Amino acid sequence: MPAKKKISAPEDTIEEKAAPAEEAAKPAEVKKSAPKKAPAKKPAAKKEAIAEKAAEKPAKKPAEKKAASEKAAEKKPVKKTAKKKAEPQPEAEKPAEAVTAAAPAEEVKPVEIPAEEAPVEAPAAEKPVDMPLPQPRRSVAFIGSECYPFVKTGGLGDVMYALPKALIKQNCDVKVILPRYKCIPQKYQEKMVYRGAFQMDLCADGRSFYVGIMEYVWDGVVYDFIDNEDFFTSGNPYTNLVDDIPKFCFFGKAALAALNYMNWIPDIIHCHDWQAGLVPVYLRTLFANTALSSARTILTIHNLRFQGVYNIPTIKYWTNLPDYVFNKDALKQGYEDANMLKGGLAYADMISTVSNTYAGEIQTAFYGEKLDAHLRYHSGKLRGIVNGIDIEQWDTATDTRLAVNYDLANVLEGKKANKKALQEQLGLAQDDHMFVIGLISRLTDQKGLDLVNAILPALMDGHTQVVVLGTGDAKYEDSFRYYESAYKGSVCSNIMYDEGRAHQIYAGADALLVPSLFEPCGLTQLIAMRYGTVPIVRETGGLKDTVQPYNQYTNEGNGFTFDRYDANLLLDAINRAKTLYFTNRWCWDQMVQRDLTTDVSWDNSAQQYRGLYMELKP
């Protein structure tokens, strides 16, 4: 099969592409610091001056001695600084060369920064760059249908972008494989490098398709895009099942064939959602006799509601998989359907989902989406790991979309200024004392919007404002438009999605509402905390794992929660938040500060994922 054709391993490619970038940067740094060696001549001059002064010392009075010592004290720091800056720079280069292939340029920064601090601390600061990297090194191939900033429709795109970056710091060599959609912005398309192409057998009747590989390297992560005009010419990544089923049957097999073609054999193949659900099935059947068979697979469930279910004959045709995989323990669902996600769960070596609570919930009939029994059977290999967010992208101190930037030192003043700007921009009554509730969400049943509809009139007490941002089901879009008309100056419904407006709501709102029916992980509550906005959530999935309910007796917690899916309980949670806000602002402000400093980064999650990889490949 053409897939067996081999070219140079991508590790070499990464070195060749990443190294010049670092080497080009390094000489510039060395040259900048090189002139600082000029002062090295000064010590000799200084020594002569000191010697002369020493000779004069016996003749000098105490007052003159004091003046001399003050001058010496002034010169001493200059002497130490010159010595210091000249010495650490060459040492900083050595770790950089060693890390070139393993960790990209950003990991070199911690070496350079301490070099300009105190000389005594510099050597100790260099060690964490080399020492903390866990061993052994692991190679991981991510396979999924979307990734920020190339294409993103939801939380999966954020995870496919942020988790690989965080794994680099865990000593992982990461390659991300994606479809090359037509909708990927041209600025990325034109920077892609052609890596090769081949024909791949796909269908049961022997029909084959072109597979092209276009590569883009960014932030130490290698992105390989599967190119094919037959499947990826649509303006959107997802259209309808009739088109999407063949598209992702092709993509799963093409991703493995591309790894084979490039002779890049990862330790772990990390698949995401139903669009990559057939990858573990292909690997253990059609690729069982290839070098890839040594890899272990993890399939991550981001949202169990979407599974890739279609009739068996269609999926049989588009995959040419053997008949034995279409049984009730693998792909078969019901009497005549095949479920791509179900097959992947059966054949994957490990299953993960995006929070520990959700991992338990999906094994019940209510949350299991007809796969609860299947998941209970495979529960021994099921793990839950909460997502993080990219704290560089979501940073109140540098966010250019905010009216006023702020951090822990001025968060209270910063929130107030951003609230005023938000009220002015959205036509709300401008009042510092208003309690502003934000709602940033897809407008669907999953997000608990029927509860919000039921209680919104009760919130309109003259002291509360509600800001909605999102699109979705027509019934919710229309109801929020009605509320904006009925409560002018108190409700603003932005029936759209605007990234800039989202940032402004996170910064300007006092609280963020996430009353979901179910929520595998949820990112909005994490972003809200990062912006000092208090989350009000239902205790489900990742919302329960990340938001600790406020305790008025101990003044602990980082949000307000309710358990059962009930409108009155949601209203009660909001009223508890408002009571604290209006009657005990000191405690509210402390919670805002706690939320701002909560660690919502990917670092801890990446460590846990590395733990899974090591469990599979010790």
Side-chain angles (χ1 to χ4, degrees), residues 484-501:
E484 179 176 17
S485 174
Y487 301 103
K488 285 189 181 299
S490 295
V491 177
C492 179
S493 299
N494 303 270
I495 308 304
M496 59 179 181
Y497 187 76
D498 181 277
E499 188 74 17
R501 181 68 52 83

Side-chain angles (χ1 to χ4, degrees), residues 45 50 94 108 137 151 196 302 340 373 379 381 618:
I50 292 166
K94 289 177 185 176
V108 182
R137 188 166 174 78
V151 58
H302 294 268
M340 292 166 64
S379 60
K381 60 181 183 181

Side-chain angles (χ1 to χ4, degrees), residues 495-526:
I495 308 304
M496 59 179 181
Y497 187 76
D498 181 277
E499 188 74 17
R501 181 68 52 83
H503 285 242
Q504 291 153 13
I505 295 172
Y506 283 125
D510 296 298
L512 188 87
L513 208 54
V514 197
S516 303
L517 175 63
F518 68 94
E519 195 67 62
C521 178
L523 297 178
T524 54
Q525 84 278 12
L526 300 179

Side-chain angles (χ1 to χ4, degrees), residues 443 472-479 481:
L443 305 183
D473 296 347
K475 63 179 179 178
Y476 294 123
E477 291 184 354
D478 293 341
S479 66
R481 287 191 185 102

Side-chain angles (χ1 to χ4, degrees), residues 17 44 74 106 109 166 195 200 221 233 283 297 318 360 364 372 387 421 440-441 475 493 505 509 512 521 555 613:
K17 290 185 180 179
E74 286 177 356
E106 60 178 312
K109 287 179 183 175
R195 286 295 311 273
M200 180 186 74
V221 180
T233 54
L283 185 65
T297 55
W318 282 105
T364 66
D372 53 295
N387 286 339
I440 302 172
S441 172
K475 63 179 179 178
S493 299
I505 295 172
L512 188 87
C521 178
N555 191 30
Y613 301 157

Side-chain angles (χ1 to χ4, degrees), residues 439-598:
L439 176 64
I440 302 172
S441 172
R442 284 183 293 110
L443 305 183
T444 64
D445 289 333
Q446 177 200 334
K447 299 299 182 179
L449 300 183
D450 51 334
L451 302 185
V452 178
N453 270 342
I455 66 160
L456 202 144
L459 295 179
M460 297 297 102
D461 54 5
H463 305 287
T464 308
Q465 295 174 333
V466 177
V467 180
V468 179
L469 175 66
T471 61
D473 296 347
K475 63 179 179 178
Y476 294 123
E477 291 184 354
D478 293 341
S479 66
F480 286 124
R481 287 191 185 102
Y482 164 76
Y483 287 129
E484 179 176 17
S485 174
Y487 301 103
K488 285 189 181 299
S490 295
V491 177
C492 179
S493 299
N494 303 270
I495 308 304
M496 59 179 181
Y497 187 76
D498 181 277
E499 188 74 17
R501 181 68 52 83
H503 285 242
Q504 291 153 13
I505 295 172
Y506 283 125
D510 296 298
L512 188 87
L513 208 54
V514 197
S516 303
L517 175 63
F518 68 94
E519 195 67 62
C521 178
L523 297 178
T524 54
Q525 84 278 12
L526 300 179
I527 298 169
M529 289 189 282
R530 176 78 172 153
Y531 277 59
T533 300
V534 175
I536 302 174
V537 308
R538 178 168 174 259
E539 294 175 5
T540 182
L543 301 176
K544 183 176 182 179
D545 290 351
T546 56
V547 179
Q548 287 71 51
Y550 177 71
N551 185 324
Q552 62 178 328
Y553 302 106
T554 62
N555 191 30
E556 294 174 329
N558 59 3
F560 293 85
T561 70
F562 64 104
D563 52 7
R564 286 181 292 108
Y565 192 73
D566 182 275
N568 290 324
L569 294 180
L570 169 60
L571 181 59
D572 176 67
I574 295 172
N575 285 337
R576 280 186 278 121
K578 288 166 67 174
T579 300
L580 187 70
Y581 180 85
F582 287 115
T583 65
N584 197 343
R585 183 63 68 85
W586 179 75
C587 288
W588 177 275
D589 290 344
Q590 279 193 322
M591 181 156 45
V592 167
Q593 293 169 326
R594 277 198 302 275
D595 283 356
L596 193 74
T597 55
T598 300

Side-chain angles (χ1 to χ4, degrees), residues 15-36:
E15 281 192 38
E16 290 170 8
K17 290 185 180 179
E22 289 185 356
E23 287 167 14
K26 285 294 171 191
E29 291 171 357
V30 175
K31 283 177 186 175
K32 282 181 184 176
S33 58
K36 293 179 183 177

